[in-house]
Amino acid sequence: MREVEQHAAFIEWPKRLISEDGWTVTYRPLTNPDTESLIYDPFEASDAAALEAAGENHIWTEIDWPDAWGAIMPGRHRFDAIGYIITEQPWAESDRDLLVLVEG
């Protein structure tokens, strides 16, 4: 957990860690139909349109993370962002402290 805290100095702590499987079951990420991945690129016109249509509480950011493939946080973040994910189930304001570590 120490490495997580050091890497995420830009994020307000404490964070609630949840498993990738638990996050998937709860929030149900949507596959990008153009790429067949979960990632939406805001610089691609069709992805940008999908992100705008989704609404802010359906958008998550996958960020670069040490010792994991990445991490997922609710909302749009720019620091270390890999891309954005849209979920079927929106996150609530009380979910702002969630952090999902993506294992390879």
Side-chain angles (χ1 to χ4, degrees):
M1 185 62 140
R2 182 90 177 124
E3 297 84 17
V4 170
E5 291 174 7
Q6 287 174 345
H7 182 73
F10 67 97
I11 304 171
E12 184 179 325
W13 284 92
K15 286 287 185 194
R16 285 186 297 142
L17 294 176
I18 62 171
S19 72
E20 185 178 3
D21 289 342
W23 174 78
T24 299
V25 168
T26 302
Y27 297 97
R28 300 182 304 277
L30 302 174
T31 301
N32 182 332
D34 295 336
T35 63
E36 296 299 317
S37 76
L38 296 181
I39 299 296
Y40 287 78
D41 180 348
F43 300 107
E44 293 291 330
S46 62
D47 288 3
L51 288 165
E52 288 307 312
E56 289 303 312
N57 285 42
H58 290 268
I59 297 174
W60 298 70
T61 305
E62 184 168 357
I63 61 172
D64 224 0
W65 202 267
D67 301 325
W69 284 72
I72 301 169
M73 300 169 42
R76 290 189 203 216
H77 304 276
R78 288 181 173 73
F79 185 80
D80 284 343
I82 294 169
Y84 300 100
I85 299 170
I86 299 172
T87 58
E88 183 179 326
Q89 178 68 30
W91 52 269
E93 199 57 38
S94 61
D95 295 333
R96 276 208 178 270
D97 66 344
L98 291 178
L99 182 68
V100 183
L101 294 182
V102 179
E103 300 298 331

